Amino acid sequence: RHSRSTAPPSSVRVATMATSTSALALLAGISSHRVGISRPKRAAPRARRIPRIIAEASSSSQARDAFVLRASLASSPTPLASLIDDPDASKAFDVVVWGATGFTGALVARHLAKNAPDSLRIAVGGRSDAKLCSLVGSMVESGDSDVLLPMLRGDAADATDMRALARVAKCVVSAAGPYGERGDVLVGACAAEGTHYADLTGEPGWMRFVIDSHDATARATGARIVPCAGFDSVPADVGAFIAATELAERHPGVKAVKVTSYLTKVLGGFSGGTLATGWRLAEDARERESFCDVDGLVPNAVEGVTNAAQTPLAFAELEPRYDEDLDAWATMSPFAPCDVKVVRRTVSLLEGAEGAEGAEGAEGAE
């Protein structure tokens, strides 16, 4: 159970609005061709597809097509460090799924390959050659992909690898957590290279660090940094937005002050990455200190002044109690400490956009 309310106007490039497959395609903003080898069992399409791609790549204006084709045909993942100064690799991919061999990363990669437009150039990346090859091969065998996606291998802690990743991609979707341990280098590289970025973090203390460290750079390069684009915190963020919008439409002039959301049915369980993040949150002093600070992500928030009516989160709320509105026993969601901060940041960014003049104000609220 979470409570949220409004916050003062502000406009900051680093944002926390929900992201979907279609939104990622819009972030990439390109009309080009995804290339690769057709599934082996479709012999005829394969014979037609490769000559067509080679013909397209023969033009000097299609150097990137040739690079993507070579990456697709490679028998092993391409080392990211080898691409750092390759002009043909610059922004060659619309979306790179980083950490694609993990549980969530594989789901993202399969969904994109199966549902994204054919015009979207997709690549997968990670640190294990064997796992990347296994993933790409299984995607073709299962029918999730008609092509062998290009594979990129690198180390999340290596600055050169992450800078190269940011250079070859227009948008990076990172599923490699915990982000507080292995996400700083990639976010910094994306901000510096003007590469859009989305992840699945639920670590508000780390997000505060990212905003403080990379917001100015992201503003300068035009990068859109979108953390919390997964279960943390899409349901809460979009749900609060829809509830507030519906209230305003039904009752003109009335503004939402608080939104309470309930999780009444949740399917599935926790992945290994989510469990690892949970342990890190418990051990990280930065995350523990930010637990009760509902305005921890709100720009220029002043404790007790920004919203004096907002009740801080408290560990006591974890105790089950009977909720009359729900007519059932309920407790605070384990996602609440992150969700409430994300929703309040989104409110502040949207209000800032409404009060800003020009395109920059609108772009500041993702």
Side-chain angles (χ1 to χ4, degrees):
R1 176 180 177 180
H2 333 132
S3 296
R4 309 174 183 91
S5 58
T6 58
S10 182
S11 178
V12 179
R13 170 73 60 179
V14 180
T16 53
M17 199 61 179
T19 302
S20 65
T21 299
S22 58
L24 291 174
L26 291 175
L27 282 175
I30 185 175
S31 57
S32 55
H33 300 278
R34 191 193 320 171
V35 301
I37 304 175
S38 300
R39 280 190 291 169
K41 65 181 181 180
R42 296 183 179 179
R46 177 183 182 183
R48 293 193 300 269
R49 187 178 180 87
I50 292 179
R52 177 177 64 82
I53 295 170
I54 292 175
E56 291 175 353
S58 63
S59 170
S60 59
S61 64
Q62 298 294 326
R64 289 184 180 86
D65 284 330
F67 165 77
V68 176
L69 176 60
R70 293 195 303 271
S72 300
L73 294 172
S75 59
S76 61
T78 302
L80 280 166
S82 68
L83 305 177
I84 191 70
D85 294 319
D86 187 344
D88 291 344
S90 177
K91 304 305 180 191
F93 300 109
D94 298 323
V95 178
V96 175
V97 181
W98 177 249
T101 60
F103 177 78
T104 305
L107 292 177
V108 173
R110 290 178 182 277
H111 182 80
L112 280 174
K114 194 170 185 177
N115 296 282
D118 288 340
S119 61
L120 201 71
R121 288 192 180 108
I122 302 169
V124 294
R127 58 185 176 182
S128 169
D129 285 14
K131 290 182 178 180
L132 284 169
C133 291
S134 176
L135 170 68
V136 170
S138 67
M139 289 171 64
V140 172
E141 292 175 358
S142 66
D144 289 330
S145 178
D146 285 332
V147 301
L148 292 174
L149 296 180
M151 301 174 289
L152 307 172
R153 187 242 304 151
D155 184 344
D158 188 283
T160 300
D161 283 352
M162 294 301 96
R163 193 66 179 252
L165 175 57
R167 287 185 178 180
V168 303
K170 292 192 172 183
C171 176
V172 174
V173 180
S174 176
Y179 297 89
E181 290 182 358
R182 58 189 73 159
D184 296 353
V185 180
L186 176 56
V187 175
C190 287
E193 294 293 332
T195 300
H196 306 316
Y197 169 93
D199 66 30
L200 310 169
T201 188
E203 303 154 78
W206 177 73
M207 289 166 58
R208 181 72 262 172
F209 167 81
V210 167
I211 294 167
D212 294 340
S213 301
H214 305 300
D215 177 60
T217 303
R219 279 176 174 270
T221 64
R224 291 170 179 169
I225 309 299
V226 188
C228 285
F231 200 79
D232 279 323
S233 296
V234 170
D237 205 14
V238 175
F241 177 78
I242 292 174
T245 301
E246 185 70 14
L247 177 67
E249 290 179 353
R250 294 188 184 187
H251 305 281
V254 176
K255 188 175 184 179
V257 175
K258 182 175 74 172
V259 175
T260 302
S261 62
Y262 299 91
L263 294 175
T264 57
K265 182 183 292 186
V266 180
L267 302 178
F270 295 105
S271 68
T274 299
L275 293 174
T277 298
W279 281 113
R280 201 196 74 78
L281 292 176
E283 296 174 350
D284 191 318
R286 180 175 59 187
E287 299 294 348
R288 292 199 305 271
E289 291 171 1
S290 69
F291 179 88
C292 298
D293 185 6
V294 294
D295 287 327
L297 300 179
V298 173
N300 305 315
V302 179
E303 186 175 357
V305 176
T306 298
N307 191 336
Q310 179 67 40
T311 303
L313 292 173
F315 286 99
E317 294 186 41
L318 293 171
E319 298 180 2
R321 55 187 173 183
Y322 189 80
D323 188 289
E324 295 183 356
D325 293 329
L326 188 62
D327 192 22
W329 286 89
T331 184
M332 185 175 72
S333 165
F335 305 102
C338 181
D339 288 347
V340 67
K341 298 175 179 63
V342 170
V343 170
R344 288 174 58 71
R345 177 172 176 79
T346 295
V347 170
S348 70
L349 292 173
L350 291 175
E351 289 189 342
E354 291 175 359
E357 295 181 358
E360 182 59 32
E363 290 180 2
E366 302 296 335

